[in-house]
Amino acid sequence: MSRLKLFIPVFVFLALAVLLWRGLYLDPRTLPSVLIDKPLPDFELRTVENASLITKADLPDEPFLLNVWGSYCLPCLQENPILMAAKEAGVLPIVGVNYKDKLNLARLWMDDNGSPFDFSVVDEDGRLGINLGVYGAPETFVVDGNGVIRYKHIGVIDYKAWEQEILPAIAAVKAEATL
Amino acid sequence: MRPLVLTSRTLQMVMLALWLTLGAGVTGSLSHRAEAAIDAFEFESDEQERRFRQMSNDFRCPIYLMIMDGKTDYEIEQFMLERYGDFIFYRPRLMTETLLLWFGPLAFLLLGGWIIAGIIRRARPQVQEKVVLNEEEQERLRTLLDGVKRE
Amino acid sequence: MVPELGQFALILSFCLCVLLGTLPLVGAGTGNQLWISLARPLTAGVFVFLSLCLLILGYSFVTDDFSVAFVAQHSNTLLPLQYKITAVWGGHEGSFLFWTWMLAGWMLAVSIFSKTMPDDFVARVLGIMGLIGAGYTLFMIATSNPFDRVLPLSPADGADLNSALQDFGFIIHPPSLYMGYVGFSVVFAFAIAALLSGRLDSAWARWSRPWANAAWAILTIGIALGSWWAYYELGWGGWWAWDPVENPPMINWLLGTALIHSLAVTEKRGVFKSWTVLLAIMAFAASLLGTFITRSGLLTSVHAFASDPTRGVYILGFLGFVIGGSLLLFALRAPLMKSEFGFEAVSREVFLLANNIILVVASAAILLGTLYPMVYQAVSGGELISVGPPYFNMIFVPLMGILVLFMVIGSISRWKKTSVAYLKKQLMIVAVASVALGLVLPLALTMEFHYGASIATALGLWIVLGIVQDIRIKIANKGSVLVGLRSLATSYIGMQIAHFGFAVILLGAALTSIYSIEKSVLLSPGERVELGRYVFQFDGTEHLSGPNFEAERATFQVFREGEFQRELHPEKRVYVASMSPSTEMAIDAGFTRDLFITLGEERESGAWSMSIYIKPLVRWVWLGAILMSLGGIVAVLDKRYRRLKVRTLQKAEADKSGKPAGDDYQPVSG
């Protein structure tokens, strides 16, 4: 009996080793989004383009992308071509949230680089961003036809992210809609 | 200029939020980072540092506003929790999933105490039976003792 | 060409380690004197070739050889010379080489300072360390070669050393930390050698103690230096963050502390032998675990190296083999823990046992907290939580409080049996004085009652007054105080110095956490701000050019109660090569308090955001650590470990006559 007790450390260690081994294959850097499957927060903001007042009701009735961006944000510039291409191809509507930016700078940026957005709302104090759980621009949400957040991508969208994460997410949401 | 004084709790949350930005969107490897500055927020690019500073303000602002507004710590935490999840708290909330975490150490301690008690119980020096020497042994003992005394 | 020599030396080191890890071990098992005698020369060879590797890597840095990938990643032509040298450990590959070299250093030390131990035992010890070295060198050759080249297109200049590392702290923290960390492989090797040879007695404990104490003392310094360095690099006034990479050395330290106490009991009383062996294995496991966590990408931390599952898998495999194998050996070979006998419920043995339990529980708790987020993520399918300082402090602090209570009682207790009445008599006055002063002192100094400060003060005084009382008892019948003090054993003095150091840390850590104050403000040049008893006046900034950076240097005048004290000059730097920004804090260090200022950002108006801190007693944290370490070193110097001449003679005689030596009977003292 005593001799068996001496084996306890080996077993505890083995359990620990298995745990650590599994842990190696987890990605420690996926950041969570608690807002998945929750509706978009309410808001009342003006657009960048023509200062018209927009609320949640004015958002598209079909699945769309909500893209948080700013003129100061370098990665936003980097993902602009992808979003533009998506707009050209008519994949789905894209709505922008101009986050913690200056209106004139935002307009300049859109003139210089082209805008993939149907429209962008001005979130100068960042309140909408906070309510969306935004860490910072760029972040992109896939929202379904009922205004519910279904997917969140943090950081720049490169081709890999677009193909492997965002497109499938969009497809999944669209497929549901037809059921 | 009114100084902005932060409570340690909110500062902790801000710290965590700031640290998060390093995780968010960092795609390159961390090979430049060495086993060095603990928590020194070092960046690989100007862009990262700018975002860090941006976020410092972004989070301080609503938290500051809420504090000035008279919201309790609990209410502020709930606000952040709804939007960012448990990850944002340095102190894990007490829930079924964290019971092991919070009560584990206590359990270890009790186990340790139980082990000590067991060891003590068995370690008591045995009550020695009186050793009875026979005649011969007593003689030898006396000789030995005498020898020692003389030295 | 030269880096290739380094490559070659590395491979040779591996080969020598393999030889060392096999021949002497087999020889010790079969009695092959020739193979046994190979241990020391092979050890010397390993050390020589690893030193060569290190020198060659250093040479590559100093000569700006950017064809070596590691140099290109971590250096730059503008980098000051001292940092070119320390850049050797500025990244994963180089620091691992350095780590391995430390192992070789300890091996060499063992081979030199082991003349009084039986040769077969030494052969086993060195052989085991050789096996560990083989694992490390193989890891480098396979996954992390510091001599890899970037050819044919070598960069013209390097990426520069991370700006946070271009600092004095980086010159001394990693070397001392590694030296301590790796040092536990020695007592581990002793433990395995004991299991292999079946020779597990108080002689073994006596041989192991100096090595354990030395490693422990150095690790203490290594961790303390890390904390000190973080403090002045951080900018948040923090000196311990319970970061996932800081925690493993702490676990190692706690287990190491348990080990040195357990070894004391085993040496003096012959009990707890198996437990001590287990602790030695666990302490070493903690150091391997630390390597694993830092280098495998398992946990996110700003501290960690590049995440690369290959490396992680290798280290884990190594960990599994070495520790799993050792624990299996332990299960098979450790003397059955027959009821340890010979002591009462109230005895020194029991209090030391309590010490061990508490330290092990603390280690387990820290490990739990460190790994929990990962476990949670795995089990919950991706959800994340964080476990941070609030958790660790809440668990660790009370445990340390309990430890301190037992510490003093334990020091005064006698072996085997101590009467409670005796303890009461000696300690009652200490207890009363501690509590009274604990209540009064903080109140008197700050005009405010704070229960945490009182508890901390009381506990700190409990230790200090307890030491005074214990010394008093010991020298009570020695005539004069001086004679009495001189009669104290060196190891006893070491113990009391270390315990005193612990009290200093306790007081420093608790009181600085409670009484530190800070302010974040926006100041324009000419403006002042008040904090505590001080006034800080901002006099603006000026531009400054450094060897490899550009900076804005601010000037502050510090006044205390109207009187000018000194100037402080925090800086904001941008390192030219990497364009990375960095903040240099300005610190006014003092025995009773630190003042420090860290700059934030300049606004268009010319005003700067900044943070100002006053941290009472923070230096005590590191001073206490230095004292603890000193105590450990002093204990190592005790004469009984150095009775070389006598023992060497005895051994020589024994060798001649063919009788076994080394297990000479030492009368139990104290």
Side-chain angles (χ1 to χ4, degrees):
Chain A
M1 174 56 204
S2 283
R3 179 57 73 178
L4 276 178
K5 272 197 216 148
L6 291 179
F7 280 88
I8 295 178
V10 192
F11 286 121
V12 169
F13 172 74
L14 280 176
L16 185 64
V18 168
L19 193 70
L20 292 173
W21 182 73
R22 271 216 66 192
L24 277 178
Y25 293 99
L26 294 171
D27 182 356
R29 298 211 233 127
T30 46
L31 284 170
S33 176
V34 282
L35 292 170
I36 303 282
D37 295 337
K38 298 237 177 54
L40 280 174
D42 290 321
F43 62 90
E44 197 179 273
L45 298 170
R46 298 199 174 271
T47 63
V48 173
E49 291 78 1
N50 55 21
S52 39
L53 201 58
I54 299 281
T55 66
K56 229 169 95 169
D58 302 309
L59 293 172
D61 284 328
E62 50 176 306
F64 67 97
L65 279 186
L66 189 70
N67 177 262
V68 178
W69 66 279
S71 62
Y72 48 80
C73 155
L74 189 56
C76 301
L77 193 57
Q78 288 166 349
E79 67 183 13
N80 184 278
I82 296 186
L83 292 178
M84 291 294 281
K87 176 182 165 190
E88 302 291 305
V91 178
L92 79 177
I94 307 181
V95 173
V97 176
N98 183 239
Y99 180 66
K100 303 214 83 168
D101 204 354
K102 297 258 184 309
L103 185 56
N104 57 325
L105 295 175
R107 287 193 176 140
L108 268 174
W109 190 92
M110 286 179 10
D111 286 339
D112 286 341
N113 304 301
S115 161
F117 307 113
D118 286 8
F119 57 87
S120 278
V121 292
V122 177
D123 183 24
E124 193 168 347
D125 60 8
R127 208 168 284 228
L128 176 57
I130 292 270
N131 285 333
L132 283 169
V134 160
Y135 298 113
E139 284 184 17
T140 308
F141 297 82
V142 176
V143 185
D144 70 13
N146 298 318
V148 173
I149 297 174
R150 302 305 295 274
Y151 186 80
K152 178 179 179 184
H153 177 85
I154 297 173
V156 71
I157 300 176
D158 55 16
Y159 281 105
K160 186 163 148 215
W162 178 256
E163 310 249 312
Q164 294 179 359
E165 295 171 34
I166 312 236
L167 267 187
I170 298 174
V173 170
K174 282 194 173 173
E176 269 180 19
T178 58
L179 282 172
Chain B
M1 180 72 227
R2 206 152 58 114
L4 176 61
V5 178
L6 301 172
T7 67
S8 67
R9 175 78 67 86
T10 48
L11 191 61
Q12 275 172 16
M13 276 175 36
V14 169
M15 275 172 72
L16 183 58
L18 300 178
W19 178 83
L20 289 174
T21 55
L22 286 178
V26 171
T27 47
S29 82
L30 292 171
S31 60
H32 286 271
R33 220 133 295 178
E35 198 167 278
I38 303 163
D39 266 344
F41 297 107
E42 286 303 320
F43 305 95
E44 288 156 8
S45 69
D46 265 346
E47 175 61 18
Q48 280 186 356
E49 172 150 42
R50 185 208 54 75
R51 292 177 60 205
F52 175 87
R53 306 226 170 271
Q54 183 77 45
M55 287 214 49
S56 307
N57 297 322
D58 292 354
F59 276 107
R60 281 176 154 182
C61 220
I63 294 176
Y64 172 71
L65 287 174
M66 286 191 275
I67 291 178
M68 291 295 125
D69 213 14
K71 295 267 193 315
T72 64
D73 268 1
Y74 176 74
E75 284 170 328
I76 298 177
E77 281 172 13
Q78 281 303 109
F79 180 89
M80 300 305 273
L81 181 67
E82 277 160 30
R83 288 152 185 75
Y84 294 91
D86 275 290
F87 186 54
I88 206 170
F89 294 125
Y90 264 154
R91 182 211 310 255
R93 289 185 306 150
L94 186 58
M95 40 196 192
T96 22
E97 296 87 334
T98 58
L99 276 178
L100 176 60
L101 179 68
W102 282 107
F103 290 103
L106 183 62
F108 295 152
L109 194 59
L110 291 173
L111 178 66
W114 180 70
I115 293 177
I116 294 190
I119 293 178
I120 291 176
R121 239 182 313 122
R122 282 173 300 160
R124 287 244 167 75
Q126 309 301 330
V127 172
Q128 300 288 346
E129 281 181 18
K130 266 190 128 152
V131 176
V132 179
L133 298 173
N134 63 27
E135 271 293 308
E136 200 202 326
E137 288 165 347
Q138 284 193 26
E139 241 326 283
R140 281 169 60 199
L141 184 60
R142 245 178 265 130
T143 325
L144 279 169
L145 287 173
D146 285 333
V148 169
K149 276 204 205 99
R150 254 181 240 126
E151 274 171 27
Chain C
M1 229 297 274
V2 170
E4 270 63 47
L5 281 180
Q7 187 101 279
F8 186 59
L10 188 60
I11 296 176
L12 257 181
S13 308
F14 168 68
C15 297
L16 288 175
C17 281
V18 170
L19 284 175
L20 178 58
T22 48
L23 298 179
L25 277 174
V26 172
T30 57
N32 186 328
Q33 289 302 321
L34 176 65
W35 284 8
I36 288 176
S37 67
L38 287 175
R40 288 194 171 92
L42 281 172
T43 300
V46 170
F47 181 75
V48 163
F49 283 104
L50 279 172
S51 303
L52 203 60
C53 289
L54 209 58
L55 284 170
I56 288 174
L57 190 60
Y59 176 78
S60 303
F61 269 99
V62 170
T63 55
D64 287 331
D65 184 353
F66 298 116
S67 70
V68 178
F70 186 71
V71 177
Q73 284 160 10
H74 299 284
S75 184
N76 186 274
T77 43
L78 293 174
L79 192 62
L81 180 65
Q82 72 269 30
Y83 297 127
K84 281 188 184 164
I85 297 176
T86 63
V88 165
W89 54 84
H92 167 63
E93 293 83 349
S95 73
F96 200 82
L97 175 63
F98 191 61
W99 172 278
T100 310
W101 178 78
M102 281 292 178
L103 178 70
W106 281 100
M107 281 162 66
L108 189 70
V110 171
S111 82
I112 295 174
F113 293 104
S114 56
K115 299 295 192 317
T116 59
M117 295 176 222
D119 285 331
D120 62 325
F121 187 76
V122 177
R124 284 197 157 110
V125 170
L126 291 175
I128 290 156
M129 292 182 81
L131 275 179
I132 298 173
Y136 289 168
T137 44
L138 184 61
F139 173 70
M140 277 192 282
I141 294 171
T143 73
S144 324
N145 197 325
F147 300 108
D148 277 342
R149 301 266 232 165
V150 186
L151 291 169
L153 299 161
S154 311
D157 209 337
D160 206 10
L161 184 64
N162 191 317
S163 53
L165 307 181
Q166 295 187 32
D167 184 270
F168 177 69
F170 189 62
I171 299 181
I172 48 178
H173 161 59
S176 52
L177 181 72
Y178 286 359
M179 198 165 152
Y181 231 166
V182 174
F184 281 96
S185 57
V186 176
V187 60
F188 168 77
F190 272 70
I192 300 298
L195 286 175
L196 286 174
S197 66
R199 190 191 277 134
L200 189 57
D201 49 25
S202 11
W204 168 79
R206 193 182 63 240
W207 297 331
S208 308
R209 275 188 89 181
W211 298 101
N213 279 323
W216 177 87
I218 297 172
L219 182 63
T220 305
I221 292 280
I223 297 178
L225 281 174
S227 160
W228 172 68
W229 184 33
Y231 171 76
Y232 74 79
E233 274 291 318
L234 248 190
W236 298 104
W239 43 269
W240 189 260
W242 295 109
D243 182 89
V245 168
E246 281 178 307
N247 291 343
M250 176 55 93
I251 294 174
N252 198 344
W253 186 85
L254 291 166
L255 290 174
T257 308
L259 180 61
I260 60 181
H261 287 84
S262 190
L263 273 169
V265 183
T266 304
E267 183 195 1
K268 293 245 168 77
R269 301 283 298 154
V271 295
F272 305 155
K273 287 183 210 156
S274 302
W275 170 246
T276 303
V277 165
L278 185 61
L279 265 179
I281 297 175
M282 278 164 50
F284 180 63
S287 87
L288 282 184
L289 187 68
T291 308
F292 173 71
I293 288 179
T294 323
R295 298 169 194 271
S296 67
L298 181 78
L299 299 168
T300 352
S301 161
V302 235
H303 229 133
F305 293 99
S307 46
D308 181 352
T310 330
R311 286 186 183 149
V313 170
Y314 182 97
I315 300 180
L316 188 59
F318 182 69
L319 193 79
F321 175 67
V322 171
I323 302 301
S326 310
L327 289 174
L328 194 59
L329 184 65
F330 171 80
L332 294 169
R333 290 293 211 101
L336 272 171
M337 287 186 280
K338 305 186 281 285
S339 328
E340 306 283 10
F341 61 88
F343 54 88
E344 292 276 340
V346 180
S347 62
R348 207 176 173 95
E349 287 92 329
V350 167
F351 289 114
L352 282 168
L353 194 53
N355 152 302
N356 268 213
I357 297 283
I358 293 172
L359 287 167
V360 171
V361 168
S363 306
I366 296 176
L367 186 65
L368 181 64
T370 306
L371 293 178
Y372 208 79
M374 182 205 79
V375 172
Y376 187 81
Q377 187 183 1
V379 162
S380 71
E383 308 255 329
L384 294 181
I385 58 168
S386 305
V387 178
Y391 172 81
F392 291 108
N393 287 327
M394 227 179 265
I395 305 285
F396 188 71
V397 171
L399 281 174
M400 290 299 109
I402 302 174
L403 183 70
V404 168
L405 288 175
F406 280 122
M407 182 178 171
V408 178
I409 304 177
S411 307
I412 295 219
S413 302
R414 302 253 165 81
W415 293 113
K416 192 162 174 171
K417 182 180 159 124
T418 303
S419 86
V420 176
Y422 172 78
L423 287 174
K424 257 204 217 143
K425 177 169 157 241
Q426 306 300 342
L427 291 176
M428 187 52 80
I429 176 164
V430 176
V432 167
S434 308
V435 171
L437 287 169
L439 286 170
V440 165
L441 278 176
L443 189 61
L445 290 171
T446 64
M447 298 305 165
E448 234 180 72
F449 179 74
H450 188 292
Y451 74 92
S454 287
I455 294 177
T457 309
L459 284 174
L461 286 171
W462 171 242
I463 300 177
V464 174
L465 295 175
I467 292 175
V468 170
Q469 179 73 320
D470 194 40
I471 294 180
R472 251 200 61 225
I473 297 171
K474 280 216 146 54
I475 65 178
N477 50 5
K478 289 280 167 48
S480 78
V481 167
L482 225 56
V483 170
L485 287 175
R486 280 220 217 100
S487 75
L488 295 172
T490 316
S491 58
Y492 176 81
I493 295 177
M495 173 184 94
Q496 296 296 35
I497 294 176
H499 285 180
F500 178 72
F502 187 70
V504 172
I505 291 189
L506 188 156
L507 287 169
L511 297 174
T512 203
S513 304
I514 293 170
Y515 290 117
S516 291
I517 46 180
E518 66 168 277
K519 238 183 204 179
S520 296
V521 287
L522 190 65
L523 286 183
S524 298
E527 287 185 329
R528 325 178 123 201
V529 65
E530 223 181 280
L531 184 62
R533 292 205 189 115
Y534 294 86
V535 170
F536 298 85
Q537 177 171 308
F538 178 40
D539 284 345
T541 64
E542 57 176 5
H543 190 83
L544 179 73
S545 284
N548 56 341
F549 61 85
E550 300 293 313
E552 284 299 310
R553 185 172 188 261
T555 300
F556 284 83
Q557 294 192 50
V558 182
F559 299 89
R560 186 190 146 112
E561 285 159 359
E563 269 183 50
F564 175 75
Q565 302 288 303
R566 58 169 292 177
E567 282 187 356
L568 285 173
H569 299 282
E571 289 176 26
K572 283 266 339 170
R573 293 183 183 174
V574 178
Y575 283 85
V576 166
S578 54
M579 292 308 291
S580 69
S582 149
T583 317
E584 293 295 311
M585 259 130 278
I587 302 182
D588 178 26
F591 182 69
T592 52
R593 94 288 174 275
D594 268 24
L595 304 174
F596 78 82
I597 307 180
T598 155
L599 289 177
E601 285 205 312
E602 188 174 16
R603 303 292 165 82
E604 299 105 23
S605 57
W608 280 81
S609 64
M610 61 193 62
S611 295
I612 302 177
Y613 300 79
I614 299 182
K615 305 197 66 81
L617 300 186
V618 70
R619 303 265 136 191
W620 286 28
V621 171
W622 308 305
L623 287 172
I626 293 176
L627 283 170
M628 278 205 300
S629 180
L630 183 67
I633 303 277
V634 167
V636 172
L637 297 172
D638 187 289
K639 280 195 230 74
R640 72 171 179 271
Y641 303 123
R642 292 187 297 139
R643 287 197 197 111
L644 275 180
K645 280 218 187 92
V646 173
R647 292 233 194 84
T648 331
L649 281 175
Q650 281 181 353
K651 185 164 174 290
E653 275 178 42
D655 283 341
K656 258 193 264 163
S657 66
K659 287 207 213 89
D663 285 340
D664 42 356
Y665 174 70
Q666 291 289 328
V668 168
S669 64

